[in-house]
């Protein structure tokens, strides 16, 4: 981490050099001494320091400077570094102005020029100021900083992307002092959020996910045009396929639309996964699988959306949304599923502003002592309820059925029963939402009686089943009526292979109606919707890819 800064400002080059020389001689081993020739130049320097997340300990400014005198500079500098100690250099004739500045800019000290010898007139002053500053310094940061509004959907999207990709960041509200100072340093306003400030001090206003991926070091461009295996989707099935494909010698690339982990990666706690008796968070499991895939040499591409698949002789060709293509001998489709949108008036406009799909764990600290509403009765909803109960005053789980036994694992039902803050509301559905700028009210309906009631609510998390993202596969591989990819024996009807099948054998167990293209995990028709089975299918798909390639 960089040393804290001591900044001196004087328009007289000789005096500027003398100040910097004397300060550097005593403090240069612990502090970075920076000098500027004018107030505007010094403010530009402070903005750069602010964006880099560094600290400023002491500001030493000459009173008589053109454009901006020392008092004016120190007053402006307070907006960026309010905790920095402030010293004014003055001539004897200006001591009255220096005394006035004690009240105007909370001046810590003024020094008469010349200050020689520094051992008597300079160092004792600076020693005392540094001691006071060290007792309560501004925290330096090596993390990405995100400035935004609490109820801004774009701000939430940035935070969610960073969190799901396991990128540490610091969240600052635009209407709080530190957030405002960072916006000022970036030359932005509260209307420009989200503003993302990188660890090297670069400010990005409303960046795209591809831009974010680039600044945090995620790969977005493949290293080659052709691979042995392309895995589409970075959930448990996709990561399993990438690990086994790369570890068994296949040149493998995994392509993920947003963030590795899929829905499982958003889970606060998975407790029934083999080998983790104390449970494991989805983020932890995802991170281990991602590192394991990289260890074996798999490439991971993020923020790349596949929109087309075609047969190109013996190769399989994938087309991205930017028009570029990627080819491989074989493909594993592991795109998983997405939560269905809750079709109720008023909710669509409030998505990301109180209405969220999935756990959105980044929002949990903001829910302290408030009521949280969760729609859904499967394991993902139960895990979210347990997680949010650590923060919320009360968690309301809304289900349309009579109880949870048909859709949730018994261990989770038992957990919910033991937590006093969680209440399950059977026969209840959300029929409307409303709010100015963010969610403020929900209308709930009893599915038996039709009776409606309004409740105050700022937080709604939806887990109402899922849909596969397979529209881009229409006409290329066989899908069932809900869009899931049909594979293996299910493709053989009445002893007949699927239309267009070109090989003198039946499709392998996880193989789609296009030879060499396999499906694993939740996207596959009739699959078991569990993390363990998804990982297993990813591994099994790779063994079938080997069989396919050996026969080519």
């Amino acid at each position: 981490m960089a040393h804290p800064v001591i900044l001196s400002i004087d328009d007289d080059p000789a005096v500027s050099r003398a100040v910097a020389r004397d300060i550097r001689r005593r403090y240069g081993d612990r502090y970075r001494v920076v000098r500027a020739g004018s107030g505007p130049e010094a403010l530009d320097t402070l903005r750069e320091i602010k964006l880099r997340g560094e600290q400023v300990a002491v500001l030493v400014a000459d009173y008589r400077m053109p454009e901006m005198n020392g008092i004016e500079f120190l007053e402006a500098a307070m907006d960026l570094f309010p905790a920095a100690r402030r010293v004014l250099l003055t001539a004897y004739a200006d001591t009255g102005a220096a005394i006035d500045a004690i009240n105007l800019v909370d001046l810590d000290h003024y020094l008469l020029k010349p200050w020689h010898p520094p051992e008597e007139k300079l160092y004792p002053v600076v020693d005392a100021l540094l001691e006071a500053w060290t007792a309560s310094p501004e925290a330096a940061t090596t993390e990405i900083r995100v400035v935004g509004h609490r109820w801004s959907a774009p701000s939430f999207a940035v935070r969610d992307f960073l969190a799901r990709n396991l990128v540490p960041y610091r969240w600052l509200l635009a209407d709080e002092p530190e957030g405002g100072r960072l916006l000022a340093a970036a030359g932005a306003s509260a209307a420009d959020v989200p503003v993302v400030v990188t660890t090297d001090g670069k400010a990005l206003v409303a960046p795209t996910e591809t831009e974010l991926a680039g600044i945090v070091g995620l790969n977005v461009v493949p290293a080659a045009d052709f691979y042995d295996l392309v895995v589409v989707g970075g959930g448990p099935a996709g990561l399993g396929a990438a690990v086994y494909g790369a570890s068994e010698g296949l040149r493998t690339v995994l392509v993920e639309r947003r963030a590795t982990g899929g829905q499982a990666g958003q889970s606060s706690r998975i407790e029934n996964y083999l080998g983790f008796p104390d449970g494991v968070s989805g983020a932890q499991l995802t991170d281990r699988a991602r590192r394991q895939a990289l260890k074996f040499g798999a490439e991971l591409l993020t923020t790349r959306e596949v929109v087309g698949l075609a047969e190109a002789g013996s190769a399989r060709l994938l087309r991205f949304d930017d028009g570029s293509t990627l080819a491989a001998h074989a493909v594993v489709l592991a795109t998983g599923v997405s939560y269905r949108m809750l079709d109720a008036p008023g909710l669509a406009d409030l998505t990301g502003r109180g209405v969220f799909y999935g756990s959105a764990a980044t929002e949990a600290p903001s829910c302290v002592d408030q009521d949280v509403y969760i729609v859904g009765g499967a394991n993902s909803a139960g895990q979210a309820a347990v997680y949010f109960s650590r923060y919320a005053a009360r968690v309301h789980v809304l289900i349309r059925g009579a109880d949870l036994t048909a859709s949730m694992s018994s261990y989770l039902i038992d957990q919910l029963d033991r937590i006093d803050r969680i209440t399950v509301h059977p026969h209840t559905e959300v029929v409307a939402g409303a709010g100015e700028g963010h969610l403020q009210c929900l209308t709930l309906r009893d599915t038996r009686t039709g009776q409606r009631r309004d409740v105050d609510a700022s937080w709604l998390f939806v887990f109402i089943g899922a849909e596969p993202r397979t529209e881009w596969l229409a006409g290329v591989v066989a899908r069932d009526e809900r869009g899931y990819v049909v594979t293996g024996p299910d493709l053989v009807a009445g002893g007949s292979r699927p239309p267009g099948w070109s090989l003198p054998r039946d499709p392998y167990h996880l193989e789609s109606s296009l030879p060499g293209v396999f499906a694993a995990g939740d996207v596959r028709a009739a699959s078991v919707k569990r993390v363990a089975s998804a990982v297993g299918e990813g591994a099994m798909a790779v063994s079938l890819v080997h069989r396919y390639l050996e026969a080519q």
Side-chain angles (χ1 to χ4, degrees):
M1 186 177 295
H3 289 317
V5 171
I6 299 175
L7 177 64
S8 69
I9 308 97
D10 200 303
D11 64 317
D12 185 329
V15 175
S16 179
R17 285 194 296 271
V19 173
R21 179 199 63 218
D22 287 345
I23 293 176
R24 190 175 289 114
R25 180 185 303 159
R26 185 175 180 98
Y27 308 104
D29 60 331
R30 293 163 287 155
Y31 295 87
R32 185 160 64 93
V33 181
V34 178
R35 61 190 180 98
S38 69
E41 178 188 340
L43 286 177
D44 287 341
T45 300
L46 287 180
R47 292 186 187 101
E48 292 179 11
I49 293 171
K50 188 72 178 179
L51 292 174
R52 289 198 298 265
E54 298 175 10
Q55 302 163 303
V56 174
V58 176
L59 299 166
V60 182
D62 184 56
Y63 173 61
R64 289 184 177 271
M65 293 188 294
E67 296 184 78
M68 176 184 288
N69 67 35
I71 295 175
E72 293 169 335
F73 164 75
L74 291 173
E75 187 175 15
M78 286 174 65
D79 293 335
L80 294 170
F81 291 96
R85 301 298 167 173
R86 291 169 287 278
V87 179
L88 192 67
L89 296 179
T90 69
Y92 182 79
D94 297 320
T95 54
I99 293 171
D100 291 340
I102 292 175
N103 294 322
L104 180 63
V105 296
D106 194 19
L107 190 68
D108 292 292
H109 208 283
Y110 67 90
L111 285 173
L112 293 175
K113 298 187 294 185
W115 55 84
H116 296 294
E119 287 77 11
E120 294 181 13
K121 297 184 177 181
L122 176 64
Y123 297 153
V125 170
V126 178
D127 283 345
L129 294 176
L130 289 176
E131 182 179 355
W133 177 82
T134 303
S136 57
E138 289 184 300
T141 179
T142 57
E143 296 177 327
I144 288 174
R145 285 154 291 166
V146 180
V147 185
H149 294 305
R150 175 170 294 166
W151 301 116
S152 160
S155 297
F156 164 72
V158 166
R159 296 167 59 208
D160 189 55
F161 177 84
L162 294 174
R164 292 184 61 181
N165 281 287
L166 306 177
V167 177
Y169 69 91
R170 184 181 175 194
W171 166 240
L172 301 165
L173 292 174
D175 55 1
E176 291 185 347
E178 181 61 16
R181 287 191 285 268
L182 204 56
L183 287 177
S189 71
D192 298 320
V193 298
V195 173
V196 177
V197 182
T198 66
T199 55
D200 59 358
K202 181 180 179 182
L204 293 86
V205 177
T208 65
E209 288 187 348
T210 300
E211 289 174 326
L212 284 174
I215 66 172
V216 301
L218 299 173
N219 287 337
V220 297
V221 179
D225 297 324
F226 196 92
Y227 292 82
D228 295 321
L229 174 63
V230 174
V231 180
V232 185
L239 287 168
V243 167
Y244 280 91
S247 67
E248 294 176 10
L250 298 178
R251 186 167 190 185
T252 302
V253 60
L254 183 149
V255 181
E256 169 54 44
R257 186 172 63 96
R258 194 150 188 266
T260 53
Q263 287 189 21
Q266 295 180 275
S267 175
S268 58
R269 178 67 57 178
I270 302 171
E271 297 191 64
N272 58 352
Y273 189 70
L274 186 67
F276 292 89
D278 298 321
V280 61
S281 73
Q284 290 173 321
L285 191 63
T286 295
D287 183 49
R288 293 179 182 186
R290 180 187 58 81
R291 289 188 283 114
Q292 198 171 13
L294 292 171
K295 166 190 170 183
F296 288 120
E299 287 182 43
L300 303 184
L301 303 183
T302 309
T303 67
R304 299 304 303 270
E305 184 167 7
V306 180
V307 297
L309 171 65
E311 187 174 9
S314 62
R316 301 295 174 259
L317 192 67
L318 294 165
R319 187 177 77 257
F320 294 116
D321 58 352
D322 63 358
S324 61
T325 58
L326 192 63
H329 289 302
V331 173
V332 173
L333 302 173
T335 51
V337 291
S338 298
Y339 289 114
R340 285 202 298 269
M341 303 292 285
L342 185 57
D343 186 17
L347 295 186
D349 293 337
L350 297 173
T351 301
R353 296 184 293 161
V355 178
F356 304 93
Y357 290 85
S359 63
T362 55
E363 301 305 297
S366 299
C367 300
V368 171
D369 297 331
Q370 300 182 52
D371 281 18
V372 168
Y373 288 81
I374 292 176
V375 180
N379 278 8
S380 54
Q383 291 159 353
V386 172
Y387 179 69
F388 281 105
S389 70
R390 304 173 192 170
Y391 301 87
R394 182 156 294 279
V395 177
H396 304 270
V397 180
L398 313 179
I399 59 173
R400 300 184 67 178
D403 56 44
L404 295 166
T405 56
S407 56
M408 189 179 292
S409 297
S410 61
Y411 81 90
L412 261 178
I413 295 175
D414 293 341
Q415 280 191 38
L416 267 58
D417 288 341
R418 291 194 298 268
I419 300 175
D420 293 336
R421 293 186 179 187
I422 298 176
T423 301
V424 178
H425 300 267
H427 306 293
T428 304
E429 63 181 356
V430 175
V431 294
E436 292 295 327
H438 66 93
L439 179 67
Q440 294 173 307
C441 175
L442 289 173
T443 300
L444 308 182
R445 175 181 176 272
D446 188 310
T447 58
R448 297 165 298 181
T449 66
Q451 183 178 359
R452 298 186 177 208
R453 60 188 176 98
D454 292 335
V455 295
D456 293 334
S458 295
W459 306 97
L460 176 68
F461 299 89
V462 182
F463 304 82
I464 54 169
E467 297 173 331
R469 300 190 301 264
T470 59
E471 296 82 2
W472 59 281
L473 293 170
V476 180
V477 300
R479 300 177 300 153
D480 67 13
E481 66 280 359
R482 294 184 296 167
Y484 291 93
V485 177
V486 182
T487 60
D490 292 336
L491 290 167
V492 180
S496 298
R497 293 165 183 158
W501 185 260
S502 59
L503 300 180
R505 61 166 176 81
D506 290 347
Y508 294 137
H509 182 65
L510 301 180
E511 196 169 18
S512 73
S513 59
L514 178 59
V517 176
F518 300 82
D522 290 359
V523 75
R524 191 178 68 84
S527 65
V528 177
K529 304 302 189 277
R530 288 289 184 268
V531 175
S533 62
V535 173
E537 287 194 3
M540 184 190 302
V542 171
S543 69
L544 297 173
V545 166
H546 280 291
R547 289 175 60 183
Y548 169 78
L549 295 177
E550 289 167 359
Q552 292 299 102

